[in-house]
Amino acid sequence: MSLVPWAYEVSRQNLASTLPRRWAHVQGVAQKAQTLAAAVGDDAALLEAAAILHDVGYAPHLAKTGFHPLDGAVYLKGIDAPGRLVHLVAHHSCAVREARLRGLEGQLADFRDEEGPVRDALWMCDLTTTPDGEPTDFVSRVTEIKERYGPGDLVTVFIDSAQRDLADAIARTTSRLREFAG
């Protein structure tokens, strides 16, 4: 089985029945990834696989630390997922900032942030998709996250601190898309 169908099956098995809203979200993120394929060239399949798997660490039976990027990456590494895929899941959506707040930066450091076009596009996919899997814009998504968690919550503090990095990744991806369309 090739990477993308395998990733969908792993995600479905871990999220569809236990976390149906999260399953809807990752499917929407994966659909967005398909639209951004030109921005990542030959890595389009990797982007889509990372998109469908980025939140697998939310699955209750996989949650070891309670920090889903790390829990997902550890799980995927344990089932011999490709290294880049594991690292992209670990570092999706500026996870290092939240890891610092949670005291998990050392554990996240076991995974490399590739800081390139695929990473940027994955961040864009996640931060322009609602929890229900519908397209949205970045500002609306950040507002939704802050309202869902409330003032002072660690996730709200994280999203405030990461907002510039996330916006920059989205801008870089948008620029790459324009280059390929032009």
Side-chain angles (χ1 to χ4, degrees):
M1 183 180 299
S2 65
L3 181 62
V4 172
W6 172 85
Y8 274 85
E9 184 57 22
V10 169
S11 185
R12 185 195 61 73
Q13 288 174 357
N14 285 287
L15 296 175
S17 63
T18 57
L19 298 170
R21 189 173 191 213
R22 185 67 51 189
W23 173 235
H25 169 70
V26 299
Q27 289 179 88
V29 173
Q31 287 174 346
K32 176 67 115 188
Q34 293 169 1
T35 71
L36 300 182
V40 299
D42 292 341
D43 285 328
L46 177 63
L47 173 61
E48 188 174 350
I52 198 69
L53 286 167
H54 80 281
D55 278 352
V56 72
Y58 274 117
H61 62 285
L62 302 180
K64 306 295 184 220
T65 67
F67 183 46
H68 75 277
L70 181 57
D71 292 335
V74 168
Y75 166 70
L76 291 170
K77 183 178 179 183
I79 62 169
D80 296 323
R84 279 186 74 198
L85 175 61
V86 171
H87 296 283
L88 285 163
V89 168
H91 283 279
H92 78 269
S93 302
C94 206
V96 68
R97 288 190 180 264
E98 188 173 342
R100 283 184 196 131
L101 293 171
R102 293 179 178 274
L104 296 170
E105 186 176 14
Q107 290 178 36
L108 191 65
D110 290 342
F111 303 95
R112 185 179 57 79
D113 182 355
E114 67 177 58
E115 300 181 11
V118 179
R119 193 241 11 212
D120 287 353
L122 179 60
W123 292 14
M124 181 173 177
C125 293
D126 189 21
L127 273 296
T128 59
T129 304
T130 70
D132 296 312
E134 298 300 319
T136 191
D137 62 88
F138 175 65
V139 172
S140 297
R141 178 75 159 118
V142 169
T143 300
E144 178 277 320
I145 291 168
K146 291 165 78 168
E147 287 174 356
R148 183 166 24 120
Y149 286 92
D153 186 90
L154 184 138
V155 175
T156 301
V157 172
F158 150 70
I159 201 71
D160 280 339
S161 74
Q163 199 164 345
R164 173 58 23 218
D165 291 335
L166 295 166
D168 288 348
I170 291 168
R172 286 188 299 268
T173 302
T174 302
S175 177
R176 287 180 188 111
L177 283 172
R178 282 192 198 114
E179 287 175 26
F180 289 106

